[in-house]
Amino acid sequence: MSNKIVTISRQFGSGGREVGKRLAEALGVAYYDKELMSMVSEETGFATEFIEKCSESVASTQFAYTFGRAFVRYQHHPEEQVQLAQLKVIRELDKTNGCVIVGRCADYLLKNDNPFKVFVYSSDMGYRVERCFDRVPEDREKGEKEMQKKITSIDKQRAKYYDYYTGKKWGEVENYNLCIDISKVGIKKAVELIVNAMS
Amino acid sequence: MSNKIVTISRQFGSGGREVGKRLAEALGVAYYDKELMSMVSEETGFATEFIEKCSESVASTQFAYTFGRAFVRYQHHPEEQVQLAQLKVIRELDKTNGCVIVGRCADYLLKNDNPFKVFVYSSDMGYRVERCFDRVPEDREKGEKEMQKKITSIDKQRAKYYDYYTGKKWGEVENYNLCIDISKVGIKKAVELIVNAMS
């Protein structure tokens, strides 16, 4: 497979971002993540912090949609402006030498580029909770249950965002080419598997 | 991973059975498929043909369940007898030296043996249709649409059977450790990936 465009969708706390970074290194291609924020910032004029905040949440988009229909001249709520700019930026990315993109419906947006589409998840919720605690140790005080709630809620947002913009179902196998249970195989092996599957 | 027990769930027409056979060879472990039929036949006294027919269909099981409650002495409809015997046979299989089992809720039934759980599917319906035509060439006359209907219907039966006996959702990523899009990577590579993931 000479085409080295990979999209990684992932459950929150599953380590998909780390898989993406290491995979880009292994393949010797660009890794798009924070760079996308700057591009969207240039496109919209909004701060990258704001862009990060609404980059995968559709919470107020549906409100914006209704709102937009009522007030034709104010069609796009700022969050939706960011999201639409993001979709545009991803579609227009320079993919000549391949790239890895994490999240943001990239699997769908780049479908004409025939990307290799990966979904990273964990069959073990405890693994995700532990990973989140490791990344933000002060969250440990809040307890496991609270963290599970947060994880489930962020996944719901991601699913909503994906379903809204693609008309498909986030996390459904048919939308991906390889779905990896990170709690079973680990991050290093996950990268190996993707490289192997693409070779 | 020293434990070499692998369960393979698969969409109809995706080639999961062939993946299973080749994988068992690659791992040097037993492949349970037709053998299970004979064991269930011994257990129940029914012909292997009948057992094959109802081994993954739950169509009349729900009827049997209702029927069974009304007539206490006739609790198990023959199809359900076969299915229950099958579940028992799988649970009691000799797994000392590892094995590969395709279908039949084995991922759930063997959960205490910590199997490596694979789901084989195809993101491309055309791939499955073509595979079915290759296996039974006379079906080609019936046309693609008819074959698609058959495929979808058998998948529905498998999902129903799985959901009924496990309380989980067939094809949902969290129930598996690796989900492979066979139309993207092919059978040979799928076997490689599983061996690699387990090593």
Side-chain angles (χ1 to χ4, degrees), chain B residues 106 115 198:
Chain B
M198 293 178 67

mmCIF file of all heavy atoms in Angstrom, chain B residues 106 115 198:
data_model
loop_
_atom_site.group_PDB
_atom_site.id
_atom_site.type_symbol
_atom_site.label_atom_id
_atom_site.label_comp_id
_atom_site.label_asym_id
_atom_site.label_seq_id
_atom_site.Cartn_x
_atom_site.Cartn_y
_atom_site.Cartn_z
ATOM 1 N N ALA B 106 -18.455 -18.297 21.122
ATOM 2 C CA ALA B 106 -17.310 -18.855 21.850
ATOM 3 C C ALA B 106 -16.564 -17.777 22.635
ATOM 4 O O ALA B 106 -16.058 -18.035 23.730
ATOM 5 C CB ALA B 106 -16.365 -19.560 20.884
ATOM 6 N N PRO B 115 -9.629 -15.751 26.143
ATOM 7 C CA PRO B 115 -9.269 -15.955 24.723
ATOM 8 C C PRO B 115 -8.913 -14.637 24.043
ATOM 9 O O PRO B 115 -9.259 -13.561 24.547
ATOM 10 C CB PRO B 115 -10.569 -16.493 24.116
ATOM 11 C CG PRO B 115 -11.651 -15.867 24.935
ATOM 12 C CD PRO B 115 -11.097 -15.781 26.347
ATOM 13 N N MET B 198 -0.961 -11.426 19.025
ATOM 14 C CA MET B 198 -0.898 -12.363 20.145
ATOM 15 C C MET B 198 0.521 -12.628 20.623
ATOM 16 O O MET B 198 0.709 -13.275 21.647
ATOM 17 C CB MET B 198 -1.536 -13.694 19.736
ATOM 18 C CG MET B 198 -3.034 -13.608 19.500
ATOM 19 S SD MET B 198 -3.665 -15.190 18.961
ATOM 20 C CE MET B 198 -3.410 -16.185 20.430
#
